[in-house]
Tab-separated table of all heavy atoms in Angstrom:
chain	number	residue	atom	x	y	z
G	152	GLU	N	174.435	-14.567	137.235
G	152	GLU	CA	174.420	-16.024	137.394
G	152	GLU	C	173.143	-16.502	138.084
G	152	GLU	O	172.838	-17.696	138.050
G	152	GLU	CB	175.647	-16.475	138.180
G	152	GLU	CG	176.960	-16.270	137.430
G	152	GLU	CD	178.152	-16.811	138.201
G	152	GLU	OE1	177.938	-17.367	139.297
G	152	GLU	OE2	179.280	-16.682	137.697
G	153	GLN	N	172.422	-15.582	138.731
G	153	GLN	CA	171.164	-15.960	139.380
G	153	GLN	C	169.982	-15.904	138.406
G	153	GLN	O	168.852	-16.192	138.789
G	153	GLN	CB	170.889	-15.040	140.564
G	153	GLN	CG	171.919	-15.109	141.674
G	153	GLN	CD	172.016	-16.495	142.270
G	153	GLN	OE1	171.029	-17.239	142.323
G	153	GLN	NE2	173.209	-16.876	142.712
G	154	GLU	N	170.255	-15.548	137.149
G	154	GLU	CA	169.176	-15.408	136.173
G	154	GLU	C	168.409	-16.715	135.996
G	154	GLU	O	167.179	-16.718	135.864
G	154	GLU	CB	169.753	-14.959	134.828
G	154	GLU	CG	168.724	-14.377	133.867
G	154	GLU	CD	168.306	-12.964	134.254
G	154	GLU	OE1	169.011	-12.327	135.064
G	154	GLU	OE2	167.261	-12.528	133.753
G	155	TYR	N	169.133	-17.826	136.021
G	155	TYR	CA	168.472	-19.127	135.829
G	155	TYR	C	167.494	-19.405	136.963
G	155	TYR	O	166.427	-19.987	136.764
G	155	TYR	CB	169.517	-20.253	135.743
G	155	TYR	CG	170.112	-20.659	137.073
G	155	TYR	CD1	169.582	-21.713	137.798
G	155	TYR	CD2	171.194	-19.953	137.607
G	155	TYR	CE1	170.116	-22.070	139.027
G	155	TYR	CE2	171.732	-20.303	138.828
G	155	TYR	CZ	171.193	-21.366	139.534
G	155	TYR	OH	171.709	-21.710	140.758
G	156	PHE	N	167.870	-18.980	138.182
G	156	PHE	CA	166.984	-19.191	139.331
G	156	PHE	C	165.721	-18.337	139.185
G	156	PHE	O	164.602	-18.823	139.390
G	156	PHE	CB	167.716	-18.832	140.626
G	156	PHE	CG	166.843	-18.886	141.849
G	156	PHE	CD1	166.537	-20.095	142.453
G	156	PHE	CD2	166.312	-17.722	142.398
G	156	PHE	CE1	165.715	-20.146	143.580
G	156	PHE	CE2	165.493	-17.759	143.515
G	156	PHE	CZ	165.199	-18.977	144.112
G	157	VAL	N	165.879	-17.079	138.812
G	157	VAL	CA	164.742	-16.168	138.647
G	157	VAL	C	163.826	-16.660	137.529
G	157	VAL	O	162.601	-16.709	137.691
G	157	VAL	CB	165.241	-14.740	138.364
G	157	VAL	CG1	164.055	-13.799	138.142
G	157	VAL	CG2	166.108	-14.243	139.520
G	158	ASP	N	164.403	-17.053	136.397
G	158	ASP	CA	163.587	-17.583	135.300
G	158	ASP	C	162.912	-18.882	135.707
G	158	ASP	O	161.785	-19.173	135.281
G	158	ASP	CB	164.455	-17.820	134.062
G	158	ASP	CG	164.867	-16.518	133.379
G	158	ASP	OD1	164.328	-15.457	133.755
G	158	ASP	OD2	165.729	-16.570	132.480
G	159	GLY	N	163.584	-19.671	136.536
G	159	GLY	CA	163.002	-20.928	137.011
G	159	GLY	C	161.764	-20.689	137.856
G	159	GLY	O	160.789	-21.450	137.779
G	160	VAL	N	161.786	-19.639	138.683
G	160	VAL	CA	160.606	-19.290	139.474
G	160	VAL	C	159.444	-18.944	138.544
G	160	VAL	O	158.306	-19.396	138.728
G	160	VAL	CB	160.908	-18.110	140.425
G	160	VAL	CG1	159.624	-17.583	141.064
G	160	VAL	CG2	161.896	-18.542	141.510
G	161	THR	N	159.720	-18.145	137.507
G	161	THR	CA	158.678	-17.769	136.538
G	161	THR	C	158.127	-19.003	135.827
G	161	THR	O	156.905	-19.170	135.708
G	161	THR	CB	159.246	-16.790	135.488
G	161	THR	OG1	159.904	-15.707	136.151
G	161	THR	CG2	158.137	-16.248	134.608
G	162	ASP	N	159.012	-19.858	135.358
G	162	ASP	CA	158.589	-21.077	134.646
G	162	ASP	C	157.708	-21.967	135.524
G	162	ASP	O	156.637	-22.421	135.114
G	162	ASP	CB	159.816	-21.889	134.200
G	162	ASP	CG	160.513	-21.265	132.996
G	162	ASP	OD1	159.937	-20.357	132.384
G	162	ASP	OD2	161.633	-21.703	132.685
G	163	SER	N	158.195	-22.230	136.733
G	163	SER	CA	157.478	-23.150	137.621
G	163	SER	C	156.133	-22.576	138.031
G	163	SER	O	155.137	-23.304	138.126
G	163	SER	CB	158.322	-23.452	138.861
G	163	SER	OG	159.513	-24.116	138.499
G	164	LEU	N	156.105	-21.275	138.265
G	164	LEU	CA	154.843	-20.657	138.657
G	164	LEU	C	153.834	-20.708	137.516
G	164	LEU	O	152.635	-20.934	137.739
G	164	LEU	CB	155.095	-19.216	139.097
G	164	LEU	CG	153.958	-18.497	139.830
G	164	LEU	CD1	153.479	-19.308	141.026
G	164	LEU	CD2	154.409	-17.119	140.270
G	165	THR	N	154.301	-20.529	136.289
G	165	THR	CA	153.423	-20.654	135.125
G	165	THR	C	152.800	-22.051	135.064
G	165	THR	O	151.592	-22.208	134.871
G	165	THR	CB	154.214	-20.384	133.827
G	165	THR	OG1	154.730	-19.055	133.860
G	165	THR	CG2	153.326	-20.552	132.601
G	166	THR	N	153.629	-23.065	135.267
G	166	THR	CA	153.132	-24.443	135.247
G	166	THR	C	152.160	-24.703	136.380
G	166	THR	O	151.090	-25.293	136.194
G	166	THR	CB	154.313	-25.425	135.344
G	166	THR	OG1	155.177	-25.228	134.220
G	166	THR	CG2	153.824	-26.864	135.351
G	167	ASP	N	152.514	-24.255	137.587
G	167	ASP	CA	151.695	-24.569	138.754
G	167	ASP	C	150.360	-23.828	138.732
G	167	ASP	O	149.346	-24.370	139.175
G	167	ASP	CB	152.462	-24.249	140.033
G	167	ASP	CG	153.588	-25.248	140.288
G	167	ASP	OD1	153.837	-26.079	139.396
G	167	ASP	OD2	154.210	-25.196	141.357
G	168	LEU	N	150.340	-22.602	138.221
G	168	LEU	CA	149.068	-21.886	138.137
G	168	LEU	C	148.126	-22.537	137.137
G	168	LEU	O	146.906	-22.440	137.270
G	168	LEU	CB	149.308	-20.423	137.754
G	168	LEU	CG	149.953	-19.527	138.809
G	168	LEU	CD1	150.064	-18.102	138.301
G	168	LEU	CD2	149.182	-19.554	140.114
G	169	SER	N	148.676	-23.215	136.141
G	169	SER	CA	147.822	-23.883	135.151
G	169	SER	C	147.041	-25.032	135.773
G	169	SER	O	146.074	-25.513	135.187
G	169	SER	CB	148.663	-24.396	133.978
G	169	SER	OG	149.462	-25.499	134.361
G	170	ARG	N	147.446	-25.475	136.963
G	170	ARG	CA	146.722	-26.559	137.642
G	170	ARG	C	145.514	-26.056	138.415
G	170	ARG	O	144.706	-26.849	138.887
G	170	ARG	CB	147.660	-27.294	138.610
G	170	ARG	CG	148.840	-28.000	137.948
G	170	ARG	CD	149.561	-28.869	138.961
G	170	ARG	NE	150.670	-29.596	138.375
G	170	ARG	CZ	151.944	-29.281	138.557
G	170	ARG	NH1	152.264	-28.259	139.335
G	170	ARG	NH2	152.904	-29.987	138.001
G	171	ILE	N	145.396	-24.748	138.579
G	171	ILE	CA	144.249	-24.194	139.294
G	171	ILE	C	142.986	-24.471	138.488
G	171	ILE	O	142.956	-24.286	137.272
G	171	ILE	CB	144.423	-22.682	139.523
G	171	ILE	CG1	145.605	-22.424	140.477
G	171	ILE	CG2	143.157	-22.066	140.082
G	171	ILE	CD1	145.913	-20.947	140.674
G	172	ALA	N	141.947	-24.886	139.173
G	172	ALA	CA	140.705	-25.243	138.498
G	172	ALA	C	140.170	-24.078	137.680
G	172	ALA	O	139.971	-22.978	138.186
G	172	ALA	CB	139.661	-25.665	139.543
G	173	GLY	N	139.952	-24.327	136.397
G	173	GLY	CA	139.383	-23.321	135.513
G	173	GLY	C	140.358	-22.284	135.006
G	173	GLY	O	139.957	-21.331	134.339
G	174	ALA	N	141.659	-22.446	135.298
G	174	ALA	CA	142.636	-21.422	134.913
G	174	ALA	C	143.020	-21.527	133.443
G	174	ALA	O	143.034	-22.601	132.851
G	174	ALA	CB	143.882	-21.545	135.782
G	175	PHE	N	143.345	-20.370	132.874
G	175	PHE	CA	143.856	-20.261	131.509
G	175	PHE	C	145.138	-19.452	131.620
G	175	PHE	O	145.104	-18.255	131.954
G	175	PHE	CB	142.818	-19.550	130.631
G	175	PHE	CG	143.261	-19.268	129.224
G	175	PHE	CD1	142.951	-20.139	128.205
G	175	PHE	CD2	143.985	-18.124	128.923
G	175	PHE	CE1	143.355	-19.870	126.894
G	175	PHE	CE2	144.392	-17.839	127.634
G	175	PHE	CZ	144.075	-18.730	126.622
G	176	VAL	N	146.286	-20.089	131.405
G	176	VAL	CA	147.582	-19.459	131.656
G	176	VAL	C	148.375	-19.371	130.352
G	176	VAL	O	148.568	-20.380	129.671
G	176	VAL	CB	148.387	-20.250	132.715
G	176	VAL	CG1	149.682	-19.515	133.053
G	176	VAL	CG2	147.565	-20.462	133.975
G	177	ILE	N	148.814	-18.164	130.014
G	177	ILE	CA	149.620	-17.964	128.815
G	177	ILE	C	150.950	-18.700	128.977
G	177	ILE	O	151.579	-18.660	130.034
G	177	ILE	CB	149.873	-16.459	128.579
G	177	ILE	CG1	148.547	-15.740	128.313
G	177	ILE	CG2	150.843	-16.237	127.426
G	177	ILE	CD1	147.808	-16.191	127.088
G	178	CYS	N	151.375	-19.365	127.911
G	178	CYS	CA	152.572	-20.205	128.002
G	178	CYS	C	153.835	-19.360	128.154
G	178	CYS	O	153.864	-18.157	127.848
G	178	CYS	CB	152.687	-21.112	126.787
G	178	CYS	SG	153.089	-20.256	125.257
G	179	ARG	N	154.889	-20.029	128.589
G	179	ARG	CA	156.165	-19.377	128.878
G	179	ARG	C	156.725	-18.646	127.655
G	179	ARG	O	157.207	-17.516	127.754
G	179	ARG	CB	157.170	-20.425	129.350
G	179	ARG	CG	158.569	-19.867	129.572
G	179	ARG	CD	159.598	-20.973	129.580
G	179	ARG	NE	160.912	-20.492	129.969
G	179	ARG	CZ	161.760	-19.843	129.170
G	179	ARG	NH1	161.407	-19.564	127.915
G	179	ARG	NH2	162.943	-19.452	129.603
G	180	SER	N	156.684	-19.318	126.516
G	180	SER	CA	157.329	-18.744	125.332
G	180	SER	C	156.719	-17.405	124.940
G	180	SER	O	157.421	-16.507	124.481
G	180	SER	CB	157.247	-19.728	124.158
G	180	SER	OG	155.900	-20.049	123.872
G	181	THR	N	155.412	-17.271	125.129
G	181	THR	CA	154.766	-15.992	124.843
G	181	THR	C	155.086	-14.972	125.924
G	181	THR	O	155.432	-13.822	125.641
G	181	THR	CB	153.242	-16.177	124.739
G	181	THR	OG1	152.949	-17.053	123.652
G	181	THR	CG2	152.540	-14.846	124.507
G	182	ALA	N	154.998	-15.380	127.180
G	182	ALA	CA	155.243	-14.460	128.292
G	182	ALA	C	156.658	-13.894	128.253
G	182	ALA	O	156.884	-12.716	128.565
G	182	ALA	CB	154.988	-15.166	129.620
G	183	PHE	N	157.633	-14.728	127.849
G	183	PHE	CA	159.028	-14.299	127.892
G	183	PHE	C	159.384	-13.315	126.771
G	183	PHE	O	160.485	-12.771	126.757
G	183	PHE	CB	159.962	-15.510	127.877
G	183	PHE	CG	160.369	-15.941	129.258
G	183	PHE	CD1	159.479	-16.623	130.058
G	183	PHE	CD2	161.622	-15.634	129.780
G	183	PHE	CE1	159.819	-17.017	131.347
G	183	PHE	CE2	161.981	-16.015	131.055
G	183	PHE	CZ	161.079	-16.704	131.853
Side-chain angles (χ1 to χ4, degrees):
E152 293 184 2
Q153 297 299 329
E154 198 75 16
Y155 76 94
F156 174 79
V157 178
D158 287 350
V160 170
T161 309
D162 285 348
S163 297
L164 193 54
T165 299
T166 299
D167 288 7
L168 289 183
S169 71
R170 297 189 178 105
I171 294 176
F175 175 95
V176 185
I177 296 298
C178 70
R179 175 199 188 281
S180 58
T181 298
F183 266 76

